[in-house]
Amino acid sequence: MVLTPLRIGIVCYPTIGGSGILATSLGIELALRGHEVHFISYERPFRLPLEHTSIQFHPVDIGDHELFKYPDYTLPLSVKLAEVSRDHRLDILHVHYAVPHATAAILALSMLDPSQRPRVITTLHGTDTTLLGSHPAYGPAIRHALECSDAVTAVSTYLEGETRRLLQTTQPIEVIHNFVSPVLPRRSRLETRLELGVGEDEVLLIHSSNLRPVKRIDLLLQVAARLKEQSRFRLLILAGESFAPYEAEVRRLGLEDRIIVRGRTQNVEEYYSAADIGLITSDSESFCLSILEAMFYGCPTVSTRVGGIPEVIQTDSTGLLVSPGDVEALASQVSELIVNPERRKAMGQAAKQFAESHFTAEIIVPMYENLYYRKTEKAR
Ligand code: GMT
C-alpha cells in the first residue's frame, strides 16, 4: 500500500545510547519509506549518515550565555522546533524522552499558529520514568509533558507499567518495542578477532553500554575476575563513555590481559559477529538495545533479570537471565556457556530467529507510521 508521505521531525540525544540509536534508525527507515525526515538536536546523531536526500539535520545553537549560571537547552530547542515545524510544515514531531524534549515541543506548539502545529509523539526510553519520574523536581514536568503530548509510547510493557505507577498519568501509553536494522559486517569474524588479538580458541565475551552507574561495571568486572581462574576468555567492552574510571579496578583484579576496551564505534556489527556471549549486569533496563543488537548477530546474552529484559530474552532459550546483583550466578551461567560451544551456538541461533521474528524494522516501523497517521488528518 502506498502511503501519503509525512514530514516528520525527530528529536533525540545524539550521543551513544539506545534512545539516540533507535531514533536514528527510525528516521533512516522512515526516509527509506518515502517520508521527509528532520533531525533536531545539539549535535548530529552519531549513527546518522552524512548524505541522505530525505533527511536533514538542524543543529540547536545552545550558545554560551554568561547570563545563566547553568546552561539552558530547553528554550533554544523549543525555538528551533517552532522554526523547523513552521518552515518545513511538519506533520509530526516525534520526541525521544519527555524531558527536556517533550517539554520543549509543547512550548514550541504554543509559539505557533494553530494551523502550523505538528502532532507531538513522545517516546519514553527509560530513565525519565525510572530515574526522574519520582523526583519531585522533575516528576510533575514529565507528567505535564506526557499529558500534553498527542500520543505517548514506551519501549516495553515493563516501562509502560512503571510510567503508570510512578507518574500516575491518565494518558494512554502504547507499547512499541525497539528494533534493529542489522547490516552486513565489512570484516570477517576472523579479521575482527585478529584486530582484537583474540585467538579462535578463546571465547570472546562482549559488553556494550554507556557505562553509567546503572550498568554496574563493578559487577561486570567481578564476574570476569571469577571466570579468570577457570576459562580461556577475553571480555570486549564497547564503551560509550570513558573507561578511565574503571582502569584501577581492572588492575586490582588482575584483568589487564583479559579486558579489551574499544571506544565509540560505528561498526558494532563486526564486534557482535566476532563475539560468542553478551554480558549485561544492569540494575535496571527498560529494554536493553545492545542485547537485541547482539541477538541479530547470533550472539546470546547472559543478563540480569531486570525491567524489560525478559521481553527481549527468553531464559534458557535465547539467552540466560539471573537475579540482579548475583555475581556468582552470572559467572556460573557464563562459564556454562563457555565450556559448552554447542549450547552457546544453538542459543545464538534461537536468539537470532527470535529477533528476526519480533524486532525488525519491517515489524516495528509500521507501528510508528500507523500511530502518526492516526494522529494527523492525513490519509494513508
Ligand atoms: O542507559 C542507557 O543505556 C541509555 C538509555 C538511552 O536513553 O539511550 O537507554 C534507555 O533506552 C534504550 C533504548 O530504548 C533502552 O534499550 C535502555 O534499556 C534504556 N536504559 C535504561 O532504561 C537504563
Side-chain angles (χ1 to χ4, degrees):
M1 190 179 2
V2 181
L3 302 174
T4 312
L6 296 171
R7 291 181 288 266
I8 303 161
I10 295 184
V11 185
C12 65
Y13 285 118
T15 45
I16 271 199
S19 62
I21 291 171
L22 187 277
T24 307
S25 303
L26 177 61
I28 294 169
E29 292 291 340
L30 289 167
L32 288 172
R33 284 161 168 75
H35 302 288
E36 181 183 305
V37 177
H38 298 262
F39 277 89
I40 304 117
S41 191
Y42 58 88
E43 251 172 41
R44 194 180 177 86
F46 97 112
R47 283 201 192 168
L48 190 63
L50 284 172
E51 299 294 328
H52 204 299
T53 44
S54 349
I55 298 181
Q56 290 181 50
F57 170 59
H58 307 269
V60 180
D61 180 12
I62 308 170
D64 182 16
H65 300 290
E66 286 165 17
L67 197 61
F68 297 128
K69 186 167 175 194
Y70 304 104
D72 168 56
Y73 180 50
T74 312
L75 293 182
L77 175 62
S78 67
V79 169
K80 181 59 83 179
L81 293 181
E83 183 187 307
V84 176
S85 300
R86 188 188 307 113
D87 294 352
H88 296 275
R89 296 183 296 125
L90 296 187
D91 300 300
I92 295 288
L93 255 184
H94 188 168
V95 297
H96 294 262
Y97 268 110
V99 282
H101 298 160
T103 307
I106 304 309
L107 187 54
L109 292 192
S110 55
M111 295 179 205
L112 292 167
D113 183 85
S115 64
Q116 300 171 322
R117 290 179 188 161
R119 299 289 181 264
V120 174
I121 311 292
T122 300
T123 289
L124 295 167
H125 284 273
T127 43
D128 38 10
T129 290
T130 53
L131 267 182
L132 299 177
S134 52
H135 194 295
Y138 285 93
I142 297 171
R143 189 178 315 112
H144 176 258
L146 299 185
E147 313 246 294
C148 294
S149 300
D150 291 287
V152 176
T153 76
V155 299
S156 61
T157 305
Y158 157 80
L159 185 58
E160 187 243 347
E162 280 300 274
T163 307
R164 289 210 175 291
R165 188 175 72 80
L166 292 166
L167 286 155
Q168 316 258 301
T169 175
T170 53
Q171 262 283 24
I173 302 173
E174 209 162 306
V175 175
I176 303 184
H177 284 121
N178 286 331
F179 70 93
V180 164
S181 306
V183 292
L184 225 52
R186 280 173 305 169
R187 291 190 300 189
S188 69
R189 171 181 165 94
L190 204 65
E191 283 168 321
T192 305
R193 289 173 78 103
L194 253 154
E195 177 236 293
L196 296 169
V198 175
E200 255 314 297
D201 58 333
E202 284 177 306
V203 170
L204 182 60
L205 312 183
I206 188 165
H207 172 92
S208 173
S209 80
N210 50 28
L211 312 182
R212 286 190 195 134
V214 72
K215 306 293 172 183
R216 298 302 303 267
I217 302 305
D218 55 334
L219 298 186
L220 183 78
L221 298 179
Q222 285 172 37
V223 173
R226 283 192 192 226
L227 292 168
K228 181 173 74 147
E229 306 309 331
Q230 15 155 338
S231 338
R232 267 182 73 67
F233 78 93
R234 309 284 289 281
L235 169 60
L236 170 63
I237 299 178
L238 298 182
E241 297 292 340
S242 165
F243 190 72
Y246 304 99
E247 272 159 10
E249 186 63 359
V250 168
R251 283 192 296 277
R252 193 184 72 78
L253 294 169
L255 289 169
E256 297 95 317
D257 57 347
R258 301 299 186 116
I259 308 267
I260 308 163
V261 180
R262 289 288 182 273
R264 193 175 153 123
T265 174
Q266 298 276 15
N267 311 326
V268 286
E269 65 279 4
E270 295 178 0
Y271 294 113
Y272 284 122
S273 306
D276 301 296
I277 305 167
L279 181 53
I280 294 290
T281 45
S282 300
D283 269 347
S284 164
E285 207 67 66
S286 65
F287 184 94
C288 203
L289 195 63
S290 68
I291 293 180
L292 184 60
E293 287 192 311
M295 288 167 80
F296 269 98
Y297 299 98
C299 176
T301 295
V302 177
S303 169
T304 42
R305 187 186 289 104
V306 292
I309 291 181
E311 294 169 52
V312 186
I313 291 182
Q314 294 65 49
T315 198
D316 284 328
S317 140
T318 59
L320 293 168
L321 298 178
V322 307
S323 303
D326 192 341
V327 173
E328 191 67 56
L330 282 160
S332 94
Q333 298 288 26
V334 173
S335 168
E336 223 281 305
L337 290 186
I338 289 179
V339 297
N340 196 338
E342 292 312 315
R343 182 165 184 230
R344 192 166 82 217
K345 279 181 193 141
M347 207 170 254
Q349 277 317 304
K352 188 168 188 292
Q353 272 168 19
F354 189 77
E356 287 172 350
S357 55
H358 289 79
F359 302 119
T360 58
E362 289 67 32
I363 296 169
I364 303 296
V365 178
M367 296 185 188
Y368 283 116
E369 279 180 305
N370 275 332
L371 179 60
Y372 299 160
Y373 283 110
R374 272 190 273 133
K375 294 295 163 183
T376 57
E377 281 85 55
K378 281 202 170 176
R380 298 173 136 258

